[in-house]
Amino acid sequence: MSVTDIQLQENTAHDDHHDDHHEQSFIEKYIFSTDHKTIAKQFLITGIFWAIIGGAFSVIFRLQLGFPDMTLEWLKPILGKWIDEGGKLDQEFYLALVTMHGTIMVFFVLTAGLSGTFSNFLIPLQIGARDMASGFMNMLSYWFFFLSSVIMFISLFLETGPAAGGWTIYPPLSALPQAIQGSAGGMTLWLVSMVFFIASTLLGGINYITTVINMRTEGMSFSRLPLTIWAFFITAVIGLLSFPVLFSAALLLVFDRSLGTSFYLSEIFIGGEALPNIGGSPILYQHLFWFLGHPEVYIVLLPALGITSEIISTNSRKPIFGYRAMIGSMLAIAFLSFIVWAHHMFVSGLNPFLGSIFMFLTLIIAVPSAVKAFNYITTLWKGNIVFTPAMLFSIGLVSFFISGGVTGIFLGNSALDINLHDTYFVVAHFHLVMGSASFFGLLAGVYHWFPKMFGRMMDEKLGYIHFWVTFVGVYLVFFPLHYIGIAGFPRRYYAFTNFDAFSAFTDLNTFVSVAAILTFGAQFIFIFNFFYSMFRGRKAPANPWRSNTLEWTTPRNPGHGNWPGAIPKVYRWPYDYSKPGAEEDFIPQHIPLSQTPESNLEEENELAKTEEVRESKNVEDSH
């Protein structure tokens, strides 16, 4: 009997069972659910909402940068007083838009939307667990995130506007409520929101780590874990160690804002008046922030890389190249991410000797990153590639990871970074290597596991259109920004019309803004495809991608508990694709070794040898 026949029989048997749990109300099942699959969907849909908001903010400030002379009066019904009488965007609100765009995309979309969705959805399904270690803690994790989202959303409607100190919230601007409008109530709500967000991340991280260590099914050793689970596990460890440091930084900032302390303040003058604060250092905040901030790069990137590993292997119909090397590279990246934070501070007056140490460590992290890139390329090499939308987005991620990573070598050099740090070169670098790559990982994951999430298929043609417009659009936005950054074009400026030196880049800025608007518009193709397919899409087969991992052994719409009967036992690693002699080009993890042709041949050889020994012994006895 073939592997496919065995799978279909098992899935049919599963579908005949019904969930033994009591009938749940709508609120229990979909709102305050403790089912990891429902919580994953909550994270995903909330993340999609915030991606629309964050993307819209970027479009508004790109309109300002690309068309500085254009009136934005048509936005007044939405933005109100933030469009002045001349139809121009208010300068302080421009800073607020940049701040909120960065905060939303880094934390609410790429951290919660990506890691929160797929860690929740895949960990129990791929390790063979009924649910997370603590369903209640898992539910709390989402609702702390949701509360954080609500608080941040409320800050958008304050009279003084949302926080406007950059997404890094550097003091002294963020420590003085009277500094600018965006340092007032909006900054306070930003800090409160982040406290709840950190609580959400820590609750989730503890749950993920505990589940992976303690709740693996029989036979699921660490050497048989899919690379997705390794990525989620390492990400949770990084978050558990780094996010409390951001909490301490925010707490000291609250003290400076409200209690008159001077952790970050010293010798400050506002309007010619000297403030009483003395003895503090804003550099202390930078150390605390970037001790989270650099691991945060890999908190959003590692889950995307884990998803890509699974999708590339599945759709190349080949075993992943260098499984142990991939795990080792992720562990190396996790370790090094904690000791390179000060490369964000080369322009802060950092001691040059100390800067050289951080430069060396920064360049070293390119080695495990290159291992991952080479392993992806080698897995693709001579593979029988199936170009699904998920596969295209995964290949796009590898492209961004390489092209954006190369520019990181420039910025890792402390001498070059001093010239490039406050230019659009940095903006282009981290949007490619972190922002776009991680976002493509999120989209790849949605396209690949949508059938398991909702029991239906997304439209492939719309997926192809979405990919090509987004992929080309991202490069059209960020390649020119590298060029104007090298030319010295500074970031964070509201307008460049007063600088003759930058007038030569007006057309290029307009081009980038048009590309950004088109790329943002393409995301509505995905949003339509996502929500339409959720209700009207073609019903999904049991295992549409012919994958090996355990989630595809559950019913098409698994209930709370995932498997109606016994949880499958694991006999092999998750990348047995195109095994020589096998009837199918995939062998799922729960298929015993004795049911593969190679094992049968070995067993027959052993039996033959045993028979030979027995016959020779009988001959000797007869003599």
Side-chain angles (χ1 to χ4, degrees):
M1 184 181 291
S2 71
V3 171
T4 306
D5 294 335
I6 295 170
Q7 266 200 299
L8 287 174
Q9 281 187 9
E10 290 184 357
N11 282 322
T12 304
H14 286 173
D15 286 338
D16 291 338
H17 287 76
H18 296 285
D19 200 3
D20 295 331
H21 291 261
H22 71 281
E23 194 66 30
Q24 293 177 309
S25 67
F26 179 85
I27 291 178
E28 286 179 315
K29 190 172 182 179
Y30 295 108
I31 309 298
F32 297 107
S33 174
T34 57
D35 184 353
H36 70 99
K37 299 180 293 298
T38 302
I39 293 170
K41 295 172 190 175
Q42 290 173 326
F43 269 106
L44 177 59
I45 292 172
T46 309
I48 289 173
F49 168 81
W50 277 111
I52 296 169
I53 300 294
F57 286 170
S58 69
V59 166
I60 294 171
F61 64 70
R62 276 312 318 178
L63 284 173
Q64 168 61 38
L65 292 169
F67 308 94
D69 298 323
M70 183 177 74
T71 177
L72 297 177
E73 190 70 32
W74 55 277
L75 282 173
K76 199 170 183 66
I78 301 172
L79 299 181
K81 72 167 192 168
W82 301 114
I83 302 294
D84 62 25
E85 294 178 358
K88 299 295 182 184
L89 192 67
D90 182 84
Q91 295 186 28
E92 287 199 17
F93 190 66
Y94 172 84
L95 294 176
L97 286 175
V98 174
T99 301
M100 297 305 292
H101 168 74
T103 301
I104 288 167
M105 299 307 286
V106 171
F107 294 115
F108 290 174
V109 178
L110 297 178
T111 300
L114 173 55
S115 186
T117 297
F118 291 104
S119 295
N120 266 300
F121 189 75
L122 292 179
I123 286 177
L125 287 172
Q126 289 196 338
I127 69 170
R130 296 289 183 191
D131 205 327
M132 285 291 180
S134 171
F136 178 73
M137 187 185 291
N138 207 19
M139 179 189 72
L140 279 183
S141 173
Y142 171 73
W143 284 105
F144 272 123
F145 165 55
F146 183 79
L147 184 57
S148 169
S149 300
V150 170
I151 294 169
M152 193 69 76
F153 192 69
I154 290 171
S155 75
L156 302 176
F157 301 96
L158 293 183
E159 180 69 20
T160 53
W167 79 276
T168 56
I169 311 295
Y170 279 173
L173 198 61
S174 60
L176 299 169
Q178 68 272 38
I180 58 174
Q181 288 189 80
S183 296
M187 187 66 69
T188 300
L189 289 183
W190 190 97
L191 291 167
V192 173
S193 172
M194 289 311 299
V195 167
F196 284 107
F197 182 82
I198 292 166
S200 164
T201 304
L202 296 180
L203 286 170
I206 292 168
N207 225 353
Y208 306 152
I209 293 167
T210 306
T211 304
V212 172
I213 291 175
N214 294 318
M215 299 184 68
R216 287 168 286 124
T217 188
E218 186 180 357
M220 182 63 82
S221 62
F222 273 93
S223 62
R224 289 174 176 171
L225 285 177
L227 289 173
T228 43
I229 304 302
W230 272 106
F232 300 148
F233 178 74
I234 294 168
T235 299
V237 172
I238 296 173
L240 208 60
L241 295 175
S242 60
F243 266 105
V245 180
L246 178 63
F247 177 80
S248 67
L251 188 63
L252 297 183
L253 192 54
V254 170
F255 288 169
D256 276 9
R257 286 174 58 83
S258 305
L259 301 179
T261 57
S262 299
F263 290 105
Y264 306 131
L265 299 172
S266 182
E267 301 172 356
I268 303 292
F269 289 79
I270 293 184
E273 178 187 352
L275 300 184
N277 306 88
I278 193 167
S281 170
I283 301 300
L284 169 62
Y285 177 88
Q286 291 191 32
H287 280 292
L288 293 174
F289 180 88
W290 287 114
F291 191 81
L292 160 88
H294 196 78
E296 172 67 15
V297 171
Y298 297 103
I299 288 172
V300 304
L301 194 52
L302 281 180
L305 294 174
I307 288 168
T308 296
S309 301
E310 175 68 23
I311 293 172
I312 284 181
S313 179
T314 299
N315 290 285
S316 295
R317 314 312 296 168
K318 280 178 62 180
I320 193 77
F321 183 85
Y323 174 81
R324 294 182 188 277
M326 294 286 259
I327 297 170
S329 66
M330 285 192 284
L331 291 170
I333 286 171
F335 172 72
L336 290 169
S337 71
F338 282 99
I339 54 176
V340 297
W341 77 89
H343 70 219
H344 295 271
M345 300 169 57
F346 285 152
V347 296
S348 67
L350 191 72
N351 182 294
F353 174 73
L354 195 58
S356 67
I357 294 172
F358 279 98
M359 179 183 77
F360 173 74
L361 293 171
T362 300
L363 297 179
I364 286 292
I365 208 170
V367 176
S369 300
V371 167
K372 296 197 75 64
F374 283 124
N375 284 16
Y376 289 137
I377 293 169
T378 312
T379 304
L380 290 166
W381 179 252
K382 293 188 177 180
N384 187 18
I385 299 175
V386 183
F387 288 105
T388 64
M391 183 62 161
L392 289 174
F393 276 101
S394 297
I395 294 172
L397 181 152
V398 176
S399 173
F400 295 148
F401 189 57
I402 294 171
S403 57
V406 167
T407 59
I409 296 174
F410 290 82
L411 295 170
N413 186 307
S414 56
L416 287 175
D417 183 71
I418 291 170
N419 294 307
L420 296 172
H421 188 85
D422 282 318
T423 72
Y424 271 94
F425 190 90
V426 170
V427 175
H429 160 72
F430 72 72
H431 274 86
L432 272 186
V433 78
M434 185 186 82
S436 300
S438 301
F439 191 65
F440 267 46
L442 170 62
L443 293 171
V446 172
Y447 279 108
H448 189 74
W449 280 287
F450 188 91
K452 182 50 61 180
M453 284 183 174
F454 301 104
R456 294 181 181 271
M457 303 293 290
M458 293 183 75
D459 186 278
E460 280 200 344
K461 291 181 180 178
L462 289 178
Y464 294 141
I465 296 169
H466 177 218
F467 167 76
W468 284 113
V469 177
T470 306
F471 180 73
V472 174
V474 167
Y475 271 126
L476 290 179
V477 171
F478 297 116
F479 256 25
L481 292 187
H482 282 97
Y483 170 71
I484 65 175
I486 291 174
F489 206 80
R491 55 179 170 150
R492 303 193 185 97
Y493 276 44
Y494 167 77
F496 303 94
T497 50
N498 295 329
F499 300 92
D500 292 336
F502 300 129
S503 60
F505 302 110
T506 302
D507 291 343
L508 204 52
N509 245 325
T510 303
F511 176 82
V512 168
S513 292
V514 171
I517 293 166
L518 292 176
T519 306
F520 175 70
Q523 306 320 303
F524 288 94
I525 298 172
F526 166 77
I527 291 167
F528 169 79
N529 195 0
F530 180 87
F531 287 104
Y532 180 84
S533 300
M534 190 188 300
F535 300 104
R536 303 292 298 275
R538 176 170 58 88
K539 286 190 176 181
N543 186 356
W545 319 121
R546 300 191 303 161
S547 296
N548 290 341
T549 42
L550 289 182
E551 72 269 26
W552 305 106
T553 65
T554 64
R556 289 175 179 80
N557 293 294
H560 196 174
N562 298 330
W563 288 270
I567 298 174
K569 182 180 176 181
V570 167
Y571 297 93
R572 59 182 73 239
W573 77 323
Y575 301 110
D576 267 343
Y577 292 106
S578 301
K579 201 173 182 69
E583 294 180 23
E584 302 277 359
D585 69 347
F586 72 110
I587 309 175
Q589 286 187 277
H590 68 290
I591 301 300
L593 295 174
S594 61
Q595 294 185 26
T596 56
E598 285 185 346
S599 299
N600 290 339
L601 187 61
E602 289 173 5
E603 288 178 7
E604 288 172 7
N605 290 337
E606 288 295 323
L607 287 171
K609 288 178 183 176
T610 305
E611 286 298 320
E612 286 178 9
V613 170
R614 191 174 298 158
E615 285 178 8
S616 63
K617 192 173 182 182
N618 290 337
V619 170
E620 288 175 3
D621 291 343
S622 64
H623 285 304

